[in-house]
Short mmCIF file of all heavy atoms in Angstrom, two decimals:
data_model
loop_
_atom_site.label_atom_id
_atom_site.label_comp_id
_atom_site.label_asym_id
_atom_site.label_seq_id
_atom_site.Cartn_x
_atom_site.Cartn_y
_atom_site.Cartn_z
N GLY U 1 -54.17 -2.77 23.78
CA GLY U 1 -53.24 -1.67 23.43
C GLY U 1 -52.92 -1.57 21.93
O GLY U 1 -52.20 -0.69 21.52
N LYS U 2 -53.42 -2.52 21.12
CA LYS U 2 -53.12 -2.52 19.71
C LYS U 2 -54.35 -2.33 18.86
O LYS U 2 -55.34 -2.70 19.25
CB LYS U 2 -52.39 -3.84 19.30
CG LYS U 2 -51.05 -4.04 20.03
CD LYS U 2 -50.34 -5.36 19.54
CE LYS U 2 -49.06 -5.57 20.28
NZ LYS U 2 -48.06 -4.55 19.98
N LYS U 3 -54.13 -1.82 17.68
CA LYS U 3 -55.28 -1.66 16.72
C LYS U 3 -55.69 -3.11 16.36
O LYS U 3 -54.94 -3.94 15.86
CB LYS U 3 -54.83 -0.93 15.47
CG LYS U 3 -54.46 0.47 15.69
CD LYS U 3 -54.13 1.32 14.40
CE LYS U 3 -52.87 0.88 13.85
NZ LYS U 3 -51.72 1.36 14.59
N ASP U 4 -56.99 -3.42 16.58
CA ASP U 4 -57.48 -4.77 16.38
C ASP U 4 -58.96 -4.68 16.10
O ASP U 4 -59.66 -4.38 17.05
CB ASP U 4 -57.19 -5.65 17.59
CG ASP U 4 -57.20 -7.15 17.33
OD1 ASP U 4 -58.25 -7.61 16.81
OD2 ASP U 4 -56.17 -7.74 17.50
N GLY U 5 -59.38 -5.05 14.94
CA GLY U 5 -60.74 -4.96 14.55
C GLY U 5 -60.99 -3.84 13.45
O GLY U 5 -59.99 -3.46 12.81
N TYR U 6 -62.19 -3.36 13.28
CA TYR U 6 -62.46 -2.39 12.23
C TYR U 6 -62.11 -1.04 12.76
O TYR U 6 -62.22 -0.60 13.86
CB TYR U 6 -63.94 -2.31 11.92
CG TYR U 6 -64.42 -1.51 10.79
CD1 TYR U 6 -64.14 -1.93 9.48
CD2 TYR U 6 -64.78 -0.22 11.04
CE1 TYR U 6 -64.48 -1.09 8.40
CE2 TYR U 6 -65.22 0.62 10.05
CZ TYR U 6 -64.99 0.25 8.71
OH TYR U 6 -65.36 1.03 7.69
N GLY U 7 -61.40 -0.29 11.77
CA GLY U 7 -61.06 1.14 11.98
C GLY U 7 -60.77 1.99 10.75
O GLY U 7 -60.69 1.38 9.67
N GLU U 8 -60.51 3.22 11.01
CA GLU U 8 -60.14 4.16 9.87
C GLU U 8 -58.88 4.85 10.26
O GLU U 8 -58.81 5.53 11.40
CB GLU U 8 -61.35 5.08 9.70
CG GLU U 8 -61.07 6.13 8.52
CD GLU U 8 -62.20 7.06 8.38
OE1 GLU U 8 -63.41 6.47 7.99
OE2 GLU U 8 -62.16 8.26 8.69
N LEU U 9 -57.87 4.79 9.43
CA LEU U 9 -56.61 5.41 9.71
C LEU U 9 -56.42 6.61 8.71
O LEU U 9 -56.44 6.32 7.48
CB LEU U 9 -55.44 4.36 9.51
CG LEU U 9 -54.06 4.94 9.76
CD1 LEU U 9 -53.80 5.58 11.18
CD2 LEU U 9 -53.04 3.88 9.37
N THR U 10 -56.29 7.82 9.25
CA THR U 10 -55.99 8.97 8.43
C THR U 10 -54.56 9.31 8.43
O THR U 10 -54.09 9.59 9.59
CB THR U 10 -56.90 10.16 8.92
OG1 THR U 10 -58.25 9.77 8.92
CG2 THR U 10 -56.68 11.35 8.03
N LEU U 11 -53.81 9.17 7.33
CA LEU U 11 -52.40 9.45 7.26
C LEU U 11 -52.22 10.88 6.81
O LEU U 11 -52.67 11.28 5.68
CB LEU U 11 -51.76 8.45 6.39
CG LEU U 11 -51.86 6.98 6.82
CD1 LEU U 11 -51.37 6.10 5.71
CD2 LEU U 11 -51.06 6.77 8.09
N LYS U 12 -51.44 11.62 7.55
CA LYS U 12 -51.13 13.08 7.10
C LYS U 12 -50.13 13.11 6.05
O LYS U 12 -49.18 12.39 6.09
CB LYS U 12 -50.56 13.89 8.28
CG LYS U 12 -51.60 14.04 9.37
CD LYS U 12 -52.66 15.05 8.99
CE LYS U 12 -53.77 15.31 10.07
NZ LYS U 12 -54.77 16.19 9.66
N ASN U 13 -50.39 13.82 4.97
CA ASN U 13 -49.49 13.96 3.83
C ASN U 13 -49.11 15.45 3.62
O ASN U 13 -49.90 16.17 2.80
CB ASN U 13 -50.09 13.21 2.59
CG ASN U 13 -49.00 13.07 1.52
OD1 ASN U 13 -48.10 13.78 1.30
ND2 ASN U 13 -49.22 12.08 0.69
N ALA U 14 -48.20 15.97 4.26
CA ALA U 14 -47.84 17.35 4.08
C ALA U 14 -47.35 17.77 2.73
O ALA U 14 -47.59 18.78 2.25
CB ALA U 14 -46.74 17.74 5.18
N VAL U 15 -46.74 16.78 2.01
CA VAL U 15 -46.22 17.07 0.72
C VAL U 15 -47.33 17.25 -0.35
O VAL U 15 -47.31 18.20 -1.03
CB VAL U 15 -45.22 15.99 0.23
CG1 VAL U 15 -44.74 16.25 -1.12
CG2 VAL U 15 -44.04 15.86 1.21
N ALA U 16 -48.22 16.29 -0.32
CA ALA U 16 -49.29 16.40 -1.31
C ALA U 16 -50.39 17.28 -0.90
O ALA U 16 -51.16 17.78 -1.63
CB ALA U 16 -49.94 14.94 -1.50
N GLY U 17 -50.55 17.62 0.41
CA GLY U 17 -51.46 18.54 0.95
C GLY U 17 -52.87 17.92 1.08
O GLY U 17 -53.85 18.65 1.26
N LYS U 18 -52.90 16.61 1.07
CA LYS U 18 -54.20 15.95 1.07
C LYS U 18 -54.00 14.64 1.94
O LYS U 18 -52.99 13.82 1.65
CB LYS U 18 -54.67 15.51 -0.25
CG LYS U 18 -56.10 14.89 -0.20
CD LYS U 18 -56.54 14.65 -1.59
CE LYS U 18 -57.98 14.00 -1.65
NZ LYS U 18 -58.44 13.68 -2.97
N ASP U 19 -54.80 14.39 2.88
CA ASP U 19 -54.72 13.20 3.83
C ASP U 19 -55.12 11.97 3.01
O ASP U 19 -55.89 11.90 2.11
CB ASP U 19 -55.59 13.27 5.02
CG ASP U 19 -55.15 14.50 5.89
OD1 ASP U 19 -54.01 14.96 5.74
OD2 ASP U 19 -55.95 14.90 6.75
N ASN U 20 -54.49 10.82 3.38
CA ASN U 20 -54.80 9.48 2.88
C ASN U 20 -55.54 8.77 3.86
O ASN U 20 -55.13 8.77 5.06
CB ASN U 20 -53.55 8.66 2.41
CG ASN U 20 -52.71 9.46 1.28
OD1 ASN U 20 -53.40 9.88 0.37
ND2 ASN U 20 -51.46 9.41 1.39
N VAL U 21 -56.60 8.07 3.47
CA VAL U 21 -57.50 7.35 4.50
C VAL U 21 -57.54 5.88 4.13
O VAL U 21 -57.73 5.48 2.99
CB VAL U 21 -58.81 7.91 4.50
CG1 VAL U 21 -59.82 7.20 5.58
CG2 VAL U 21 -58.95 9.41 4.82
N ILE U 22 -57.20 5.09 5.10
CA ILE U 22 -57.27 3.57 4.96
C ILE U 22 -58.45 3.08 5.87
O ILE U 22 -58.35 3.30 7.05
CB ILE U 22 -55.85 3.00 5.46
CG1 ILE U 22 -54.75 3.38 4.56
CG2 ILE U 22 -55.95 1.41 5.39
CD1 ILE U 22 -53.40 3.00 4.99
N VAL U 23 -59.30 2.34 5.31
CA VAL U 23 -60.47 1.82 6.04
C VAL U 23 -60.43 0.33 5.96
O VAL U 23 -60.18 -0.33 4.82
CB VAL U 23 -61.76 2.39 5.32
CG1 VAL U 23 -62.99 1.73 6.12
CG2 VAL U 23 -61.83 3.91 5.47
N GLY U 24 -60.71 -0.35 7.09
CA GLY U 24 -60.73 -1.78 7.04
C GLY U 24 -60.56 -2.38 8.37
O GLY U 24 -60.72 -1.83 9.37
N TYR U 25 -59.77 -3.57 8.34
CA TYR U 25 -59.60 -4.36 9.54
C TYR U 25 -58.07 -4.45 9.92
O TYR U 25 -57.28 -4.55 9.07
CB TYR U 25 -60.12 -5.71 9.42
CG TYR U 25 -61.72 -5.72 9.51
CD1 TYR U 25 -62.44 -5.53 8.34
CD2 TYR U 25 -62.40 -5.91 10.69
CE1 TYR U 25 -63.86 -5.50 8.33
CE2 TYR U 25 -63.79 -5.88 10.66
CZ TYR U 25 -64.50 -5.64 9.56
OH TYR U 25 -65.91 -5.61 9.57
N TRP U 26 -57.80 -4.42 11.25
CA TRP U 26 -56.44 -4.62 11.74
C TRP U 26 -56.38 -5.79 12.61
O TRP U 26 -57.37 -6.18 13.29
CB TRP U 26 -56.13 -3.27 12.49
CG TRP U 26 -55.47 -2.21 11.81
CD1 TRP U 26 -54.24 -1.93 11.64
CD2 TRP U 26 -56.14 -1.27 10.90
NE1 TRP U 26 -53.96 -0.76 10.90
CE2 TRP U 26 -55.21 -0.37 10.48
CE3 TRP U 26 -57.54 -1.09 10.69
CZ2 TRP U 26 -55.46 0.62 9.53
CZ3 TRP U 26 -57.80 0.04 9.77
CH2 TRP U 26 -56.78 0.90 9.25
N LYS U 27 -55.29 -6.33 12.72
CA LYS U 27 -54.91 -7.51 13.67
C LYS U 27 -53.64 -7.27 14.32
O LYS U 27 -52.59 -7.24 13.63
CB LYS U 27 -54.99 -8.81 12.99
CG LYS U 27 -54.97 -10.04 13.95
CD LYS U 27 -56.31 -10.10 14.60
CE LYS U 27 -56.34 -11.46 15.48
NZ LYS U 27 -57.49 -11.56 16.35
N LYS U 28 -53.56 -7.06 15.60
CA LYS U 28 -52.28 -6.77 16.38
C LYS U 28 -51.49 -5.73 15.67
O LYS U 28 -50.26 -5.87 15.41
CB LYS U 28 -51.50 -8.02 16.54
CG LYS U 28 -52.18 -9.17 17.32
CD LYS U 28 -51.36 -10.35 17.44
CE LYS U 28 -52.09 -11.36 18.34
NZ LYS U 28 -51.20 -12.65 18.55
N ASP U 29 -52.17 -4.57 15.36
CA ASP U 29 -51.51 -3.37 14.76
C ASP U 29 -51.17 -3.59 13.28
O ASP U 29 -50.70 -2.63 12.76
CB ASP U 29 -50.19 -2.98 15.49
CG ASP U 29 -50.48 -1.90 16.65
OD1 ASP U 29 -51.58 -1.41 16.61
OD2 ASP U 29 -49.56 -1.70 17.43
N GLN U 30 -51.51 -4.70 12.63
CA GLN U 30 -51.23 -4.93 11.28
C GLN U 30 -52.50 -4.82 10.50
O GLN U 30 -53.50 -5.39 10.83
CB GLN U 30 -50.58 -6.22 11.06
CG GLN U 30 -49.27 -6.57 11.76
CD GLN U 30 -48.20 -5.47 11.22
OE1 GLN U 30 -48.07 -5.24 10.11
NE2 GLN U 30 -47.42 -4.90 12.16
N TYR U 31 -52.51 -4.03 9.37
CA TYR U 31 -53.67 -3.81 8.47
C TYR U 31 -53.84 -5.15 7.67
O TYR U 31 -52.84 -5.57 7.02
CB TYR U 31 -53.49 -2.67 7.56
CG TYR U 31 -54.65 -2.40 6.61
CD1 TYR U 31 -55.89 -2.04 7.09
CD2 TYR U 31 -54.53 -2.64 5.24
CE1 TYR U 31 -56.91 -1.84 6.25
CE2 TYR U 31 -55.47 -2.45 4.38
CZ TYR U 31 -56.72 -2.07 4.84
OH TYR U 31 -57.76 -1.81 4.00
N ILE U 32 -55.04 -5.77 7.70
CA ILE U 32 -55.20 -7.04 7.03
C ILE U 32 -56.09 -6.93 5.79
O ILE U 32 -56.14 -7.74 4.89
CB ILE U 32 -55.77 -8.18 7.90
CG1 ILE U 32 -57.14 -7.74 8.53
CG2 ILE U 32 -54.85 -8.49 8.98
CD1 ILE U 32 -57.83 -8.74 9.28
N GLY U 33 -56.79 -5.73 5.64
CA GLY U 33 -57.66 -5.50 4.43
C GLY U 33 -58.96 -4.94 4.66
O GLY U 33 -59.36 -4.71 5.83
N ILE U 34 -59.68 -4.74 3.55
CA ILE U 34 -60.98 -4.09 3.70
C ILE U 34 -61.95 -4.99 4.47
O ILE U 34 -62.92 -4.57 5.14
CB ILE U 34 -61.62 -3.79 2.29
CG1 ILE U 34 -60.60 -2.82 1.57
CG2 ILE U 34 -63.02 -3.30 2.35
CD1 ILE U 34 -61.05 -2.53 0.16
N TYR U 35 -61.74 -6.36 4.25
CA TYR U 35 -62.67 -7.27 4.89
C TYR U 35 -61.95 -8.03 6.01
O TYR U 35 -60.71 -8.33 5.87
CB TYR U 35 -63.22 -8.25 3.88
CG TYR U 35 -63.88 -7.56 2.75
CD1 TYR U 35 -63.34 -7.40 1.51
CD2 TYR U 35 -65.23 -7.14 2.93
CE1 TYR U 35 -64.00 -6.75 0.47
CE2 TYR U 35 -65.93 -6.55 1.92
CZ TYR U 35 -65.32 -6.28 0.66
OH TYR U 35 -66.00 -5.69 -0.34
N GLU U 36 -62.71 -8.44 7.03
CA GLU U 36 -62.08 -9.14 8.12
C GLU U 36 -61.70 -10.65 7.69
O GLU U 36 -60.66 -11.19 8.16
CB GLU U 36 -62.97 -9.21 9.29
CG GLU U 36 -62.41 -9.87 10.52
CD GLU U 36 -63.30 -9.77 11.82
OE1 GLU U 36 -64.50 -9.41 11.61
OE2 GLU U 36 -62.80 -9.98 12.90
N PHE U 37 -62.52 -11.22 6.89
CA PHE U 37 -62.31 -12.55 6.30
C PHE U 37 -62.52 -12.57 4.78
O PHE U 37 -63.38 -11.84 4.32
CB PHE U 37 -63.30 -13.55 7.03
CG PHE U 37 -63.26 -13.51 8.56
CD1 PHE U 37 -64.26 -12.95 9.29
CD2 PHE U 37 -62.23 -14.13 9.19
CE1 PHE U 37 -64.23 -12.92 10.67
CE2 PHE U 37 -62.11 -14.07 10.60
CZ PHE U 37 -63.14 -13.48 11.29
#
């Protein structure tokens, strides 16, 4: 049930009018970085 492994998170930014995208690895819903190790 939690974000775990490789994924892409698109964050809506209504103020800037442009979405922010975070790509990389997650562990138990926590973003750990572009690389898994």
